[in-house]
Amino acid sequence: MVSIKDVARYAGVGLGTVSRVLNDEKGVSEETKENVLNAIRTLGYKRNSLAVSFRKKENKIVALLVPVINHPFFSKIAYFIEDELDKNGYSLLISSSQSRQSKEYAMIEKMKKKDVDGIIFITHYDYRDEELSKYPVVSVDRHFDNVPFVTSDNFDSSVVACEWLVHAGCRKIAYIGGKTLVESEVMERERAYREVMRKYSLPEIVKSEVIKHGEELPLVEALFRENPGMDGVFVSGDAMTNLIFMHCEENNIAIPKDLKVVSYDGVQIKTGELKDKIAYVEQPVEQLGREAVRVLLKKIRGEDVPLKTVLKAKFVHYDATSAAENGK
């Protein structure tokens, strides 16, 4: 087996010079670099990637922290994150941590010890005291001090969605969604709803609480119990939208004739039975996942990255007027 010593001997240079060429480091002239590369080609030298990884403490592993993996949005973005990492020679380690913040702390410790090369965060928890900006960390939607994040244009797309409800004739419009314990772009959806209601002098009906994924049903039931006669609702995510649809079916509330619904995400809506009954803001999930990886890999390489990357969402809707006239 050809060794790095053989390459150095053939090229007539020191081991350090060969190492710098292999690691694409500065301090080697172009002539010497070409001489070393020629020696590598001629001798057929193959680098021991495992040894290199051990020496540089680069494991080519990125962790993804999500609250739950069986949520449509989280599972879909995980798919694209894994695919983009794979294209760049990295593996993905997923931690589903909704019920145990200790799992996220454990992953942060792994990153500090360089057992993983970086983390993509989608969390409900705050890490203000962890100084995450020192490490290769990228967030999706969530805000941490000086940590780059990628997001969709939550506020602008939510304004479009809420105004569509108003123009469709709705006058008793509610907002329902979950809150996170960390500052998040997701809360821009509620802010947009409130601004549109004020713009048109309509009442603000908000049901927004810190809840775990899978525990949304009591919030949905309370919304309908406390607000009879709603004719429109803007929902912060598809999971609650499905529960709203089930509630309406069980209580003979026709969608969209009696109640018009707009959902944020659209991951489930666009391919299911609701796609012709419910309007939705379609997040660019694939772009979010791939961009999060691109930003993180730049951070791992020590490159400068933008603090905020905003991707445009798309509002998808049916003809509300004709749907009501046809009694759909």
Side-chain angles (χ1 to χ4, degrees), residues 229-287:
M230 283 186 307
D231 55 7
V233 58
F234 179 44
V235 194
S236 185
D238 288 354
M240 281 193 186
T241 300
N242 283 321
L243 292 173
I244 286 172
F245 184 72
M246 290 170 54
H247 177 92
C248 290
E249 277 199 325
E250 292 169 0
N251 292 273
N252 297 316
I253 300 171
I255 296 177
K257 183 181 179 182
D258 301 328
L259 179 69
K260 292 178 177 58
V261 181
V262 177
S263 181
Y264 205 102
D265 277 349
V267 173
Q268 290 177 291
I269 307 301
K270 67 188 226 178
T271 57
E273 61 180 311
L274 303 182
K275 65 179 181 178
D276 296 323
K277 297 181 178 181
I278 289 179
Y280 57 91
V281 176
E282 183 179 1
Q283 286 209 80
V285 184
E286 178 175 354
Q287 295 96 309

Side-chain angles (χ1 to χ4, degrees), residues 116-277:
V116 297
D117 298 315
I119 294 178
I120 297 175
F121 259 99
I122 311 177
T123 179
H124 288 328
Y125 300 113
D126 197 355
Y127 291 94
R128 203 166 303 162
D129 300 327
E130 284 295 323
E131 298 183 285
L132 293 177
S133 60
K134 293 181 178 179
Y135 304 99
V137 173
V138 172
S139 171
V140 177
D141 286 328
R142 281 60 169 166
H143 295 185
F144 302 102
D145 290 341
N146 297 314
V147 171
F149 66 95
V150 297
T151 187
S152 58
D153 57 343
N154 285 267
F155 181 82
D156 291 344
S157 55
S158 294
V159 165
V160 172
C162 291
E163 291 208 329
W164 180 83
L165 285 169
V166 174
H167 296 319
C170 300
R171 290 299 177 266
K172 192 173 183 181
I173 305 168
Y175 170 86
I176 184 169
K179 288 183 177 179
T180 58
L181 295 173
V182 60
E183 185 181 352
S184 172
E185 290 290 299
V186 172
M187 299 315 300
E188 290 294 283
R189 302 169 193 176
E190 179 181 333
R191 186 170 75 87
Y193 161 83
R194 290 185 182 276
E195 284 210 7
V196 172
M197 294 306 104
R198 290 168 192 158
K199 176 181 176 180
Y200 292 97
S201 300
L202 295 173
E204 295 177 32
I205 305 168
V206 173
K207 207 70 180 170
S208 180
E209 298 177 8
V210 176
I211 54 173
K212 291 182 178 180
H213 294 287
E215 299 180 0
E216 298 93 345
L217 184 57
L219 203 65
V220 170
E221 291 176 339
L223 176 69
F224 280 93
R225 184 174 61 250
E226 296 166 9
N227 301 283
M230 283 186 307
D231 55 7
V233 58
F234 179 44
V235 194
S236 185
D238 288 354
M240 281 193 186
T241 300
N242 283 321
L243 292 173
I244 286 172
F245 184 72
M246 290 170 54
H247 177 92
C248 290
E249 277 199 325
E250 292 169 0
N251 292 273
N252 297 316
I253 300 171
I255 296 177
K257 183 181 179 182
D258 301 328
L259 179 69
K260 292 178 177 58
V261 181
V262 177
S263 181
Y264 205 102
D265 277 349
V267 173
Q268 290 177 291
I269 307 301
K270 67 188 226 178
T271 57
E273 61 180 311
L274 303 182
K275 65 179 181 178
D276 296 323
K277 297 181 178 181

